[in-house]
Amino acid sequence: MKLLRVGAKGAEKPAILDADGTYRDLSGVVGDIAGTALTPEGLANIRAADIAMLPKLDGNSRIGPCVGNVGKFICVGLNYADHAAESGMAVPTEPVLFMKATSAIVGPNDDVIIPKNAIKPDWEVELGIIIGKEARYVDEANALDHVAGYCVVNDVSERHFQTERSGQWVKGKSADTFGPIGPWMVTADEITDPQNLSMFLEVDGHRYQNGSTKTMVFGVRHLVHYISQFMSLQPGDIITTGTPPGVGMGIKPEPVWLKPGNVMHLGIEGLGEQRQMTKAYSA
């Protein structure tokens, strides 16, 4: 299933994409694409609905973030060896974890606002894991049982804030609009192998990132297992799993940074595409 949320910001309706690409309103089936709706029981309830009988929604409506009320937005850094190399950093021996503020989350095609005092705004196409079943100290062999589905994430970053302003990376990752997710959550049963998905990102039509999840240092199964050793994972939590090479800071001979008026276009095989315009912050 492809589950999404459609409508104005703060008033999104839960929806499902039918076989013809039509948005069908799930409001009579589930309150939101969030929390308990993402559990195995919640997804079974959605599967049991007669999709063809659900009301149609306007196909031109705004698509919101594919998951509502996200509890934790967990990020994995340097999880592609070639991205670590372009960043001038060693490949980690254990996953590098940091958090992204949930207030950064926006829809897949919403504008990305470059924050005040930004110097080095950058892009990162990433595979997002959406948790559907509580995970606490799970074995790696059973880790995928806790995954509800997957989505596209643009882990927008401000590198000056991230690496030159001291402290943790979170300050360079958490500006409002720095977390586009969607367009939809694709349930795990539709993704045969999350470690074999092609991915890309373009800025103004120029392709900078062209990679595959097969080159992850730590795969989906290991990440869910590993993170659950340090914190419980709850339905609706999102893990974004790192980016392949081609980010702006890695461009030679000079880095390329986002500026107002750029258009980012990105996608992952089987998970859909996003398109955002960058705009300057305005009070």
Side-chain angles (χ1 to χ4, degrees):
M1 297 184 293
K2 293 180 174 67
L3 304 177
L4 66 159
R5 301 169 70 248
V6 178
K9 184 177 180 180
E12 295 93 347
K13 290 185 176 183
I16 187 168
L17 194 69
D18 72 14
D20 296 325
T22 301
Y23 304 159
R24 297 282 184 169
D25 189 353
L26 282 173
S27 298
V29 179
V30 66
D32 199 357
I33 308 300
T36 56
L38 299 170
T39 64
E41 297 78 14
L43 293 178
N45 182 50
I46 295 172
R47 286 192 183 92
D50 186 347
I51 303 303
M53 297 302 294
L54 296 176
K56 294 181 179 180
L57 293 171
D58 182 357
N60 295 314
S61 296
R62 168 186 176 267
I63 301 177
C66 59
V67 177
N69 299 317
V70 175
K72 293 191 287 296
F73 200 173
I74 305 163
C75 303
V76 182
L78 304 174
N79 197 31
Y80 288 72
D82 33 13
H83 171 57
E86 73 174 353
S87 304
M89 299 181 187
V91 176
T93 56
E94 293 190 38
V96 173
L97 304 182
F98 60 95
M99 306 293 264
K100 196 174 181 88
T102 56
S103 54
I105 293 173
V106 289
N109 304 314
D110 290 343
D111 292 336
V112 166
I113 307 302
I114 297 175
K116 289 176 65 174
N117 304 313
I119 298 173
K120 300 177 178 180
D122 204 350
W123 57 82
E124 295 188 11
V125 60
E126 304 199 6
L127 173 69
I129 306 167
I130 299 166
I131 298 298
K133 179 181 177 183
E134 185 178 68
R136 183 183 287 110
Y137 302 115
V138 300
D139 295 332
E140 188 164 340
N142 301 317
L144 295 186
D145 295 343
H146 298 263
V147 175
Y150 303 94
C151 69
V152 181
V153 177
N154 189 354
D155 179 20
V156 186
S157 309
E158 210 296 339
R159 304 299 188 187
H160 177 67
F161 296 174
Q162 178 186 353
T163 62
E164 300 172 41
R165 295 287 301 271
S166 184
Q168 301 296 316
W169 290 357
V170 63
K171 69 179 70 171
K173 298 285 188 171
S174 294
D176 292 351
T177 75
F178 269 25
I181 61 171
W184 29 75
M185 181 194 91
V186 180
T187 51
D189 59 299
E190 293 198 5
I191 302 301
T192 304
D193 183 2
Q195 300 309 147
N196 190 26
L197 302 175
S198 60
M199 54 207 307
F200 74 92
L201 184 143
E202 300 173 348
V203 179
D204 294 342
H206 179 86
R207 183 159 296 197
Y208 285 99
Q209 292 188 277
N210 198 20
S212 170
T213 58
K214 67 174 62 174
T215 65
M216 281 185 186
V217 178
F218 305 104
V220 170
R221 188 185 298 273
H222 182 75
L223 290 174
V224 174
H225 151 73
Y226 181 86
I227 296 169
S228 78
Q229 309 305 305
F230 301 97
M231 65 192 83
S232 65
L233 297 171
Q234 308 297 329
D237 287 350
I238 297 177
I239 302 167
T240 190
T241 57
T243 196
V247 298
M249 72 175 178
I251 304 302
K252 302 293 190 292
E254 294 292 332
V256 176
W257 308 117
L258 292 167
K259 57 185 183 296
N262 288 149
V263 174
M264 291 180 283
H265 176 212
L266 58 148
I268 299 178
E269 179 183 357
L271 300 181
E273 299 183 2
Q274 303 183 351
R275 189 181 299 270
Q276 302 107 23
M277 177 173 284
T278 57
K279 293 189 175 180
Y281 175 81
S282 177

